[in-house]
Amino acid sequence: MKLNNKTVWITGASSGIGKSLAIALSTYDCKLILSARRTSELEKVKQLCHNPELVYVLPLDLAETDAMQEIANEAISAFGTIDILVNNGGISQRSPIIETSIAVDRKLMEVDYLGTVAISKALLPHFVAQQSGHFVVVSSLMGKFSSHYRSAYCGAKHALHGFFDALRLEHDKDHVKVTFICPGFVNTNVARNALTADGSKQEYQDEMTENGLDVDVFVKKMITAIQKEKYEAYIGKFERFGVLLKRLSPKLVHKFVLRSKVR
């Protein structure tokens, strides 16, 4: 796939991976639709893009699933078509299962899973009608194997794989593509914004995230995976090998993660 002049809709575009991706894609002269909750931050990202006149700001809250069809209609009307939806928006979690309120589990499923499903289902008829389209789903290595203190996050990411694998099967005949991007540790604010046991933000960076891939390096690898229309791309440092370990031996990956220093 050539990305030049494509129309790309990015959720979670106000910071981190979404922000870096928007700036990088703007150099391909893509038409961009940027979504997140904070309009003011989206406007700042727009001004950092190569051609800000080709950027449309469309605020949304992934927790408000009933609004997704109306928002998708506006996204389509912005440039007349959408070629790629990058489902990047979401939140993480850092808390032990035994201490975590069920409200936190519910919040993660509402935002990371149901919000992503709702926006994708709202856009799917457009992809089918034009007989082309590409869902890029920013999952996580935690969507392939689990780790401490991320139970709700892991559950939501695993659920995304189940849903979009089914979507890929059902709409292969419609030339609809699905690419999972599975990051390991990337140096963004994801840990600071992660929910703790009572639903409050963690507010501090953890060591593994701090030492993760630079976000711009990550995005370059992500763009390559999108261009190649990969089914799944595992992007990280040593932690990405956990996927292979899980295939070889679930018990082995259990021991590997158990000994790792994560919090």
Side-chain angles (χ1 to χ4, degrees), residues 73-140:
N73 292 342
E74 182 178 347
I76 294 165
S77 67
F79 297 109
T81 187
I82 295 173
D83 299 299
I84 303 170
L85 170 61
V86 181
N87 283 307
N88 172 67
I91 49 178
S92 191
Q93 172 226 354
R94 299 290 190 277
S95 56
I97 295 171
I98 198 168
E99 298 174 7
T100 303
S101 165
I102 192 66
V104 172
D105 296 87
R106 186 176 294 113
K107 180 71 172 179
L108 267 290
M109 290 301 293
E110 286 176 349
V111 174
D112 289 4
Y113 177 67
L114 290 175
T116 296
V117 167
I119 196 170
S120 299
K121 292 181 75 169
L123 188 61
L124 182 59
H126 175 69
F127 281 176
V128 171
Q130 67 187 13
Q131 285 291 287
S132 68
H134 195 169
F135 290 107
V136 176
V137 184
V138 180
S139 174
S140 171

Short mmCIF file of all heavy atoms in Angstrom, two decimals, residues 73-140:
data_model
loop_
_atom_site.label_atom_id
_atom_site.label_comp_id
_atom_site.label_asym_id
_atom_site.label_seq_id
_atom_site.Cartn_x
_atom_site.Cartn_y
_atom_site.Cartn_z
N ASN A 73 -20.02 9.73 10.36
CA ASN A 73 -20.59 10.43 9.21
C ASN A 73 -19.88 11.76 8.97
O ASN A 73 -19.61 12.14 7.82
CB ASN A 73 -22.08 10.67 9.42
CG ASN A 73 -22.89 9.38 9.40
OD1 ASN A 73 -22.43 8.35 8.92
ND2 ASN A 73 -24.10 9.44 9.94
N GLU A 74 -19.56 12.46 10.06
CA GLU A 74 -18.84 13.73 9.93
C GLU A 74 -17.43 13.49 9.40
O GLU A 74 -16.91 14.26 8.58
CB GLU A 74 -18.79 14.46 11.27
CG GLU A 74 -18.09 15.81 11.18
CD GLU A 74 -18.08 16.59 12.49
OE1 GLU A 74 -18.82 16.21 13.42
OE2 GLU A 74 -17.32 17.59 12.58
N ALA A 75 -16.79 12.42 9.88
CA ALA A 75 -15.44 12.10 9.42
C ALA A 75 -15.42 11.82 7.92
O ALA A 75 -14.54 12.31 7.19
CB ALA A 75 -14.90 10.89 10.18
N ILE A 76 -16.40 11.08 7.45
CA ILE A 76 -16.48 10.77 6.02
C ILE A 76 -16.70 12.04 5.20
O ILE A 76 -16.09 12.24 4.15
CB ILE A 76 -17.60 9.75 5.75
CG1 ILE A 76 -17.26 8.40 6.40
CG2 ILE A 76 -17.82 9.57 4.24
CD1 ILE A 76 -18.44 7.45 6.50
N SER A 77 -17.56 12.91 5.70
CA SER A 77 -17.88 14.13 4.96
C SER A 77 -16.73 15.13 4.93
O SER A 77 -16.69 16.01 4.06
CB SER A 77 -19.12 14.80 5.56
OG SER A 77 -18.86 15.28 6.88
N ALA A 78 -15.78 15.00 5.85
CA ALA A 78 -14.66 15.95 5.92
C ALA A 78 -13.89 16.01 4.61
O ALA A 78 -13.56 17.09 4.11
CB ALA A 78 -13.73 15.58 7.07
N PHE A 79 -13.58 14.84 4.04
CA PHE A 79 -12.83 14.79 2.78
C PHE A 79 -13.51 13.92 1.72
O PHE A 79 -12.94 13.70 0.66
CB PHE A 79 -11.41 14.27 3.04
CG PHE A 79 -10.58 15.16 3.93
CD1 PHE A 79 -10.26 14.77 5.21
CD2 PHE A 79 -10.14 16.40 3.48
CE1 PHE A 79 -9.50 15.59 6.04
CE2 PHE A 79 -9.37 17.22 4.30
CZ PHE A 79 -9.05 16.82 5.59
N GLY A 80 -14.70 13.43 2.04
CA GLY A 80 -15.46 12.66 1.06
C GLY A 80 -15.22 11.17 1.10
O GLY A 80 -16.01 10.39 0.57
N THR A 81 -14.14 10.74 1.73
CA THR A 81 -13.83 9.32 1.84
C THR A 81 -12.83 9.11 2.97
O THR A 81 -12.17 10.06 3.40
CB THR A 81 -13.24 8.77 0.52
OG1 THR A 81 -13.10 7.35 0.61
CG2 THR A 81 -11.86 9.37 0.25
N ILE A 82 -12.72 7.88 3.44
CA ILE A 82 -11.69 7.49 4.41
C ILE A 82 -11.07 6.20 3.90
O ILE A 82 -11.78 5.26 3.54
CB ILE A 82 -12.28 7.30 5.82
CG1 ILE A 82 -12.80 8.64 6.36
CG2 ILE A 82 -11.21 6.74 6.77
CD1 ILE A 82 -13.54 8.52 7.67
N ASP A 83 -9.76 6.16 3.87
CA ASP A 83 -9.05 4.97 3.42
C ASP A 83 -8.57 4.10 4.58
O ASP A 83 -8.55 2.88 4.47
CB ASP A 83 -7.83 5.37 2.57
CG ASP A 83 -8.23 6.14 1.32
OD1 ASP A 83 -8.97 5.58 0.50
OD2 ASP A 83 -7.81 7.31 1.20
N ILE A 84 -8.16 4.75 5.67
CA ILE A 84 -7.58 4.04 6.81
C ILE A 84 -8.14 4.61 8.11
O ILE A 84 -8.17 5.84 8.28
CB ILE A 84 -6.05 4.15 6.83
CG1 ILE A 84 -5.44 3.65 5.52
CG2 ILE A 84 -5.45 3.40 8.02
CD1 ILE A 84 -3.95 3.95 5.38
N LEU A 85 -8.56 3.75 9.01
CA LEU A 85 -8.89 4.15 10.37
C LEU A 85 -7.84 3.56 11.30
O LEU A 85 -7.68 2.34 11.37
CB LEU A 85 -10.28 3.65 10.79
CG LEU A 85 -10.63 3.81 12.28
CD1 LEU A 85 -10.63 5.27 12.71
CD2 LEU A 85 -11.98 3.15 12.59
N VAL A 86 -7.13 4.43 12.01
CA VAL A 86 -6.15 3.98 12.99
C VAL A 86 -6.79 4.05 14.37
O VAL A 86 -6.97 5.13 14.93
CB VAL A 86 -4.86 4.84 12.95
CG1 VAL A 86 -3.85 4.30 13.97
CG2 VAL A 86 -4.25 4.82 11.55
N ASN A 87 -7.14 2.89 14.89
CA ASN A 87 -7.76 2.80 16.22
C ASN A 87 -6.66 2.82 17.28
O ASN A 87 -6.19 1.78 17.74
CB ASN A 87 -8.57 1.51 16.33
CG ASN A 87 -9.90 1.59 15.63
OD1 ASN A 87 -10.67 2.51 15.87
ND2 ASN A 87 -10.17 0.64 14.75
N ASN A 88 -6.25 4.03 17.64
CA ASN A 88 -5.13 4.20 18.57
C ASN A 88 -5.57 4.65 19.96
O ASN A 88 -4.84 4.45 20.93
CB ASN A 88 -4.14 5.21 17.98
CG ASN A 88 -3.06 5.61 18.94
OD1 ASN A 88 -2.21 4.81 19.31
ND2 ASN A 88 -3.09 6.86 19.39
N GLY A 89 -6.74 5.25 20.07
CA GLY A 89 -7.18 5.80 21.34
C GLY A 89 -7.42 4.72 22.40
O GLY A 89 -7.85 3.61 22.09
N GLY A 90 -7.14 5.06 23.64
CA GLY A 90 -7.38 4.11 24.73
C GLY A 90 -6.64 4.52 25.99
O GLY A 90 -5.93 5.53 26.02
N ILE A 91 -6.80 3.72 27.03
CA ILE A 91 -6.14 3.97 28.31
C ILE A 91 -5.54 2.66 28.82
O ILE A 91 -5.95 1.57 28.41
CB ILE A 91 -7.12 4.53 29.37
CG1 ILE A 91 -8.40 3.69 29.43
CG2 ILE A 91 -7.43 5.98 29.11
CD1 ILE A 91 -9.39 4.13 30.47
N SER A 92 -4.57 2.77 29.72
CA SER A 92 -3.94 1.60 30.30
C SER A 92 -4.29 1.50 31.78
O SER A 92 -5.10 2.27 32.29
CB SER A 92 -2.42 1.65 30.08
OG SER A 92 -1.83 0.41 30.40
N GLN A 93 -3.65 0.57 32.46
CA GLN A 93 -3.98 0.28 33.86
C GLN A 93 -2.75 -0.23 34.57
O GLN A 93 -1.90 -0.88 33.98
CB GLN A 93 -5.09 -0.78 33.91
CG GLN A 93 -5.42 -1.31 35.29
CD GLN A 93 -5.54 -2.83 35.29
OE1 GLN A 93 -5.48 -3.47 34.25
NE2 GLN A 93 -5.70 -3.40 36.46
N ARG A 94 -2.62 0.09 35.85
CA ARG A 94 -1.53 -0.40 36.69
C ARG A 94 -2.09 -0.66 38.09
O ARG A 94 -2.14 0.24 38.93
CB ARG A 94 -0.39 0.62 36.78
CG ARG A 94 0.28 0.98 35.47
CD ARG A 94 1.12 -0.15 34.89
NE ARG A 94 1.92 0.31 33.77
CZ ARG A 94 1.48 0.41 32.53
NH1 ARG A 94 0.22 0.09 32.25
NH2 ARG A 94 2.27 0.83 31.56
N SER A 95 -2.53 -1.88 38.37
CA SER A 95 -3.01 -2.20 39.71
C SER A 95 -3.22 -3.71 39.85
O SER A 95 -3.58 -4.38 38.87
CB SER A 95 -4.34 -1.48 40.00
OG SER A 95 -5.33 -1.78 39.03
N PRO A 96 -3.00 -4.25 41.06
CA PRO A 96 -3.23 -5.68 41.29
C PRO A 96 -4.71 -6.03 41.15
O PRO A 96 -5.59 -5.24 41.53
CB PRO A 96 -2.75 -5.89 42.73
CG PRO A 96 -1.93 -4.70 43.07
CD PRO A 96 -2.49 -3.58 42.26
N ILE A 97 -5.00 -7.20 40.63
CA ILE A 97 -6.39 -7.65 40.44
C ILE A 97 -7.18 -7.57 41.74
O ILE A 97 -8.31 -7.06 41.76
CB ILE A 97 -6.41 -9.09 39.90
CG1 ILE A 97 -5.80 -9.16 38.50
CG2 ILE A 97 -7.84 -9.65 39.89
CD1 ILE A 97 -5.58 -10.57 37.99
N ILE A 98 -6.59 -8.06 42.83
CA ILE A 98 -7.33 -8.18 44.09
C ILE A 98 -7.74 -6.82 44.65
O ILE A 98 -8.69 -6.71 45.43
CB ILE A 98 -6.49 -8.97 45.12
CG1 ILE A 98 -7.38 -9.50 46.24
CG2 ILE A 98 -5.32 -8.15 45.65
CD1 ILE A 98 -6.70 -10.53 47.13
N GLU A 99 -7.04 -5.75 44.25
CA GLU A 99 -7.35 -4.41 44.74
C GLU A 99 -8.18 -3.58 43.76
O GLU A 99 -8.65 -2.50 44.12
CB GLU A 99 -6.04 -3.66 45.02
CG GLU A 99 -5.17 -4.30 46.09
CD GLU A 99 -3.83 -3.60 46.24
OE1 GLU A 99 -3.64 -2.53 45.60
OE2 GLU A 99 -2.98 -4.11 46.98
N THR A 100 -8.36 -4.05 42.54
CA THR A 100 -8.93 -3.22 41.48
C THR A 100 -10.45 -3.26 41.48
O THR A 100 -11.07 -4.34 41.40
CB THR A 100 -8.41 -3.68 40.10
OG1 THR A 100 -6.98 -3.61 40.12
CG2 THR A 100 -8.95 -2.80 39.00
N SER A 101 -11.05 -2.08 41.54
CA SER A 101 -12.50 -1.96 41.48
C SER A 101 -13.02 -2.48 40.14
O SER A 101 -12.41 -2.26 39.09
CB SER A 101 -12.90 -0.49 41.65
OG SER A 101 -14.24 -0.28 41.27
N ILE A 102 -14.18 -3.13 40.17
CA ILE A 102 -14.79 -3.62 38.93
C ILE A 102 -15.11 -2.44 38.00
O ILE A 102 -15.18 -2.62 36.77
CB ILE A 102 -16.06 -4.45 39.22
CG1 ILE A 102 -16.53 -5.21 37.98
CG2 ILE A 102 -17.16 -3.58 39.79
CD1 ILE A 102 -15.57 -6.27 37.51
N ALA A 103 -15.26 -1.26 38.57
CA ALA A 103 -15.51 -0.07 37.73
C ALA A 103 -14.33 0.22 36.82
O ALA A 103 -14.50 0.73 35.70
CB ALA A 103 -15.79 1.14 38.62
N VAL A 104 -13.12 -0.12 37.27
CA VAL A 104 -11.94 0.07 36.42
C VAL A 104 -11.95 -0.93 35.27
O VAL A 104 -11.69 -0.57 34.12
CB VAL A 104 -10.64 -0.08 37.26
CG1 VAL A 104 -9.41 -0.07 36.36
CG2 VAL A 104 -10.56 1.04 38.29
N ASP A 105 -12.29 -2.18 35.56
CA ASP A 105 -12.41 -3.18 34.49
C ASP A 105 -13.45 -2.74 33.46
O ASP A 105 -13.22 -2.84 32.24
CB ASP A 105 -12.84 -4.53 35.07
CG ASP A 105 -11.81 -5.12 36.02
OD1 ASP A 105 -11.84 -4.79 37.22
OD2 ASP A 105 -10.97 -5.90 35.55
N ARG A 106 -14.56 -2.23 33.97
CA ARG A 106 -15.63 -1.78 33.07
C ARG A 106 -15.18 -0.60 32.21
O ARG A 106 -15.46 -0.54 31.00
CB ARG A 106 -16.87 -1.39 33.89
CG ARG A 106 -18.10 -1.03 33.06
CD ARG A 106 -19.30 -0.75 33.93
NE ARG A 106 -19.73 -1.95 34.64
CZ ARG A 106 -19.66 -2.13 35.94
NH1 ARG A 106 -19.14 -1.18 36.72
NH2 ARG A 106 -20.07 -3.24 36.50
N LYS A 107 -14.45 0.33 32.80
CA LYS A 107 -13.97 1.51 32.07
C LYS A 107 -13.02 1.09 30.95
O LYS A 107 -13.10 1.60 29.83
CB LYS A 107 -13.25 2.45 33.04
CG LYS A 107 -12.70 3.72 32.39
CD LYS A 107 -13.82 4.67 32.00
CE LYS A 107 -13.28 6.00 31.55
NZ LYS A 107 -14.35 6.93 31.15
N LEU A 108 -12.10 0.18 31.24
CA LEU A 108 -11.16 -0.28 30.23
C LEU A 108 -11.88 -0.97 29.08
O LEU A 108 -11.55 -0.76 27.90
CB LEU A 108 -10.12 -1.22 30.84
CG LEU A 108 -8.80 -0.65 31.34
CD1 LEU A 108 -7.93 -0.19 30.19
CD2 LEU A 108 -8.99 0.45 32.35
N MET A 109 -12.88 -1.78 29.39
CA MET A 109 -13.63 -2.45 28.32
C MET A 109 -14.47 -1.45 27.52
O MET A 109 -14.57 -1.57 26.29
CB MET A 109 -14.54 -3.53 28.91
CG MET A 109 -13.79 -4.73 29.46
SD MET A 109 -12.78 -5.60 28.22
CE MET A 109 -14.03 -6.26 27.14
N GLU A 110 -15.03 -0.47 28.19
CA GLU A 110 -15.85 0.53 27.49
C GLU A 110 -15.02 1.36 26.52
O GLU A 110 -15.44 1.63 25.40
CB GLU A 110 -16.54 1.45 28.50
CG GLU A 110 -17.69 0.81 29.23
CD GLU A 110 -18.28 1.72 30.30
OE1 GLU A 110 -17.64 2.77 30.60
OE2 GLU A 110 -19.35 1.39 30.84
N VAL A 111 -13.83 1.75 26.94
CA VAL A 111 -12.99 2.64 26.12
C VAL A 111 -12.15 1.84 25.13
O VAL A 111 -12.22 2.04 23.91
CB VAL A 111 -12.09 3.52 27.00
CG1 VAL A 111 -11.12 4.33 26.15
CG2 VAL A 111 -12.95 4.45 27.86
N ASP A 112 -11.34 0.91 25.65
CA ASP A 112 -10.36 0.22 24.81
C ASP A 112 -11.01 -0.78 23.86
O ASP A 112 -10.53 -0.97 22.73
CB ASP A 112 -9.32 -0.49 25.67
CG ASP A 112 -8.38 0.48 26.37
OD1 ASP A 112 -8.58 1.70 26.25
OD2 ASP A 112 -7.45 0.01 27.04
N TYR A 113 -12.06 -1.44 24.31
CA TYR A 113 -12.71 -2.45 23.47
C TYR A 113 -13.97 -1.91 22.80
O TYR A 113 -14.01 -1.74 21.58
CB TYR A 113 -13.03 -3.71 24.27
CG TYR A 113 -13.78 -4.73 23.43
CD1 TYR A 113 -13.15 -5.37 22.36
CD2 TYR A 113 -15.11 -5.04 23.69
CE1 TYR A 113 -13.83 -6.28 21.56
CE2 TYR A 113 -15.80 -5.95 22.91
CZ TYR A 113 -15.16 -6.57 21.84
OH TYR A 113 -15.85 -7.47 21.05
N LEU A 114 -14.99 -1.60 23.58
CA LEU A 114 -16.28 -1.23 22.99
C LEU A 114 -16.20 0.07 22.20
O LEU A 114 -16.85 0.21 21.16
CB LEU A 114 -17.35 -1.13 24.08
CG LEU A 114 -17.77 -2.46 24.70
CD1 LEU A 114 -18.75 -2.22 25.85
CD2 LEU A 114 -18.39 -3.38 23.66
N GLY A 115 -15.42 1.05 22.67
CA GLY A 115 -15.27 2.29 21.92
C GLY A 115 -14.64 2.05 20.56
O GLY A 115 -15.09 2.59 19.54
N THR A 116 -13.61 1.21 20.53
CA THR A 116 -12.94 0.87 19.28
C THR A 116 -13.87 0.08 18.36
O THR A 116 -13.92 0.32 17.15
CB THR A 116 -11.66 0.08 19.56
OG1 THR A 116 -10.76 0.91 20.29
CG2 THR A 116 -10.99 -0.38 18.29
N VAL A 117 -14.60 -0.86 18.92
CA VAL A 117 -15.56 -1.64 18.13
C VAL A 117 -16.66 -0.73 17.56
O VAL A 117 -17.02 -0.83 16.38
CB VAL A 117 -16.17 -2.77 18.98
CG1 VAL A 117 -17.39 -3.38 18.29
CG2 VAL A 117 -15.13 -3.84 19.27
N ALA A 118 -17.17 0.17 18.38
CA ALA A 118 -18.27 1.04 17.95
C ALA A 118 -17.86 1.94 16.79
O ALA A 118 -18.60 2.09 15.81
CB ALA A 118 -18.77 1.88 19.13
N ILE A 119 -16.70 2.55 16.89
CA ILE A 119 -16.26 3.45 15.83
C ILE A 119 -15.96 2.68 14.54
O ILE A 119 -16.23 3.14 13.43
CB ILE A 119 -15.05 4.30 16.29
CG1 ILE A 119 -14.85 5.50 15.36
CG2 ILE A 119 -13.78 3.49 16.37
CD1 ILE A 119 -13.84 6.50 15.88
N SER A 120 -15.45 1.47 14.70
CA SER A 120 -15.13 0.64 13.53
C SER A 120 -16.41 0.14 12.85
O SER A 120 -16.50 0.13 11.61
CB SER A 120 -14.25 -0.54 13.94
OG SER A 120 -13.04 -0.08 14.50
N LYS A 121 -17.40 -0.26 13.64
CA LYS A 121 -18.66 -0.70 13.06
C LYS A 121 -19.39 0.45 12.37
O LYS A 121 -20.05 0.26 11.35
CB LYS A 121 -19.55 -1.32 14.14
CG LYS A 121 -19.02 -2.64 14.67
CD LYS A 121 -19.93 -3.24 15.72
CE LYS A 121 -21.18 -3.84 15.08
NZ LYS A 121 -21.94 -4.65 16.05
N ALA A 122 -19.22 1.66 12.91
CA ALA A 122 -19.85 2.83 12.29
C ALA A 122 -19.23 3.14 10.93
O ALA A 122 -19.91 3.59 10.01
CB ALA A 122 -19.73 4.04 13.21
N LEU A 123 -17.93 2.87 10.80
CA LEU A 123 -17.24 3.16 9.54
C LEU A 123 -17.28 2.00 8.55
O LEU A 123 -17.12 2.20 7.35
CB LEU A 123 -15.77 3.51 9.84
CG LEU A 123 -14.93 4.03 8.67
CD1 LEU A 123 -15.52 5.32 8.09
CD2 LEU A 123 -13.49 4.25 9.09
N LEU A 124 -17.52 0.80 9.03
CA LEU A 124 -17.47 -0.40 8.19
C LEU A 124 -18.35 -0.32 6.94
O LEU A 124 -17.89 -0.70 5.85
CB LEU A 124 -17.82 -1.64 9.02
CG LEU A 124 -17.78 -2.98 8.30
CD1 LEU A 124 -16.40 -3.26 7.72
CD2 LEU A 124 -18.20 -4.11 9.27
N PRO A 125 -19.61 0.14 7.01
CA PRO A 125 -20.41 0.22 5.78
C PRO A 125 -19.78 1.09 4.71
O PRO A 125 -19.94 0.82 3.51
CB PRO A 125 -21.74 0.81 6.27
CG PRO A 125 -21.81 0.42 7.71
CD PRO A 125 -20.39 0.50 8.20
N HIS A 126 -19.07 2.13 5.12
CA HIS A 126 -18.36 2.99 4.15
C HIS A 126 -17.26 2.21 3.45
O HIS A 126 -17.12 2.30 2.21
CB HIS A 126 -17.77 4.20 4.89
CG HIS A 126 -16.93 5.09 4.03
ND1 HIS A 126 -17.44 5.88 3.02
CD2 HIS A 126 -15.58 5.32 4.04
CE1 HIS A 126 -16.46 6.55 2.44
NE2 HIS A 126 -15.33 6.22 3.03
N PHE A 127 -16.51 1.42 4.20
CA PHE A 127 -15.46 0.60 3.60
C PHE A 127 -16.06 -0.44 2.64
O PHE A 127 -15.52 -0.69 1.56
CB PHE A 127 -14.65 -0.11 4.68
CG PHE A 127 -13.62 0.74 5.37
CD1 PHE A 127 -12.88 0.23 6.44
CD2 PHE A 127 -13.37 2.04 4.96
CE1 PHE A 127 -11.91 0.99 7.07
CE2 PHE A 127 -12.40 2.82 5.59
CZ PHE A 127 -11.67 2.29 6.65
N VAL A 128 -17.17 -1.04 3.05
CA VAL A 128 -17.82 -2.04 2.20
C VAL A 128 -18.35 -1.41 0.92
O VAL A 128 -18.19 -1.94 -0.18
CB VAL A 128 -18.95 -2.75 2.97
CG1 VAL A 128 -19.76 -3.65 2.04
CG2 VAL A 128 -18.37 -3.57 4.13
N ALA A 129 -18.96 -0.23 1.05
CA ALA A 129 -19.52 0.45 -0.12
C ALA A 129 -18.44 0.80 -1.14
O ALA A 129 -18.67 0.69 -2.36
CB ALA A 129 -20.27 1.70 0.32
N GLN A 130 -17.27 1.22 -0.66
CA GLN A 130 -16.21 1.59 -1.59
C GLN A 130 -15.30 0.40 -1.94
O GLN A 130 -14.37 0.52 -2.73
CB GLN A 130 -15.38 2.74 -1.05
CG GLN A 130 -14.54 2.44 0.18
CD GLN A 130 -13.86 3.68 0.76
OE1 GLN A 130 -14.20 4.80 0.41
NE2 GLN A 130 -12.91 3.48 1.66
N GLN A 131 -15.61 -0.78 -1.33
CA GLN A 131 -14.86 -2.01 -1.59
C GLN A 131 -13.36 -1.84 -1.34
O GLN A 131 -12.53 -2.41 -2.05
CB GLN A 131 -15.13 -2.52 -3.01
CG GLN A 131 -16.49 -3.16 -3.19
CD GLN A 131 -16.63 -4.49 -2.44
OE1 GLN A 131 -16.06 -5.50 -2.84
NE2 GLN A 131 -17.37 -4.47 -1.34
N SER A 132 -13.06 -1.09 -0.31
CA SER A 132 -11.68 -0.94 0.16
C SER A 132 -11.70 -0.25 1.51
O SER A 132 -12.63 0.50 1.83
CB SER A 132 -10.84 -0.13 -0.83
OG SER A 132 -11.25 1.21 -0.89
N GLY A 133 -10.67 -0.49 2.28
CA GLY A 133 -10.56 0.14 3.59
C GLY A 133 -9.58 -0.64 4.44
O GLY A 133 -9.36 -1.84 4.22
N HIS A 134 -9.00 0.03 5.42
CA HIS A 134 -7.95 -0.59 6.23
C HIS A 134 -8.14 -0.17 7.68
O HIS A 134 -8.04 1.01 8.01
CB HIS A 134 -6.59 -0.13 5.70
CG HIS A 134 -5.44 -0.94 6.19
ND1 HIS A 134 -4.17 -0.83 5.65
CD2 HIS A 134 -5.32 -1.87 7.18
CE1 HIS A 134 -3.35 -1.65 6.28
NE2 HIS A 134 -4.02 -2.29 7.22
N PHE A 135 -8.44 -1.14 8.54
CA PHE A 135 -8.48 -0.90 9.97
C PHE A 135 -7.10 -1.19 10.54
O PHE A 135 -6.59 -2.31 10.41
CB PHE A 135 -9.50 -1.80 10.66
CG PHE A 135 -10.93 -1.48 10.36
CD1 PHE A 135 -11.67 -2.31 9.53
CD2 PHE A 135 -11.53 -0.36 10.91
CE1 PHE A 135 -13.00 -2.02 9.26
CE2 PHE A 135 -12.86 -0.06 10.64
CZ PHE A 135 -13.59 -0.89 9.81
N VAL A 136 -6.48 -0.19 11.15
CA VAL A 136 -5.22 -0.38 11.86
C VAL A 136 -5.55 -0.31 13.35
O VAL A 136 -6.03 0.71 13.84
CB VAL A 136 -4.18 0.69 11.48
CG1 VAL A 136 -2.91 0.51 12.31
CG2 VAL A 136 -3.88 0.62 9.99
N VAL A 137 -5.33 -1.41 14.04
CA VAL A 137 -5.72 -1.51 15.45
C VAL A 137 -4.46 -1.51 16.31
O VAL A 137 -3.65 -2.43 16.24
CB VAL A 137 -6.53 -2.80 15.71
CG1 VAL A 137 -7.01 -2.84 17.15
CG2 VAL A 137 -7.70 -2.90 14.73
N VAL A 138 -4.29 -0.45 17.10
CA VAL A 138 -3.16 -0.40 18.01
C VAL A 138 -3.54 -1.20 19.25
O VAL A 138 -4.24 -0.72 20.14
CB VAL A 138 -2.77 1.04 18.36
CG1 VAL A 138 -1.57 1.04 19.32
CG2 VAL A 138 -2.43 1.82 17.09
N SER A 139 -3.11 -2.43 19.26
CA SER A 139 -3.34 -3.33 20.38
C SER A 139 -2.17 -3.19 21.35
O SER A 139 -1.84 -2.09 21.78
CB SER A 139 -3.50 -4.77 19.86
OG SER A 139 -3.61 -5.68 20.92
N SER A 140 -1.51 -4.27 21.63
CA SER A 140 -0.37 -4.29 22.55
C SER A 140 0.21 -5.69 22.54
O SER A 140 -0.49 -6.66 22.18
CB SER A 140 -0.83 -3.93 23.96
OG SER A 140 0.20 -4.14 24.92
#
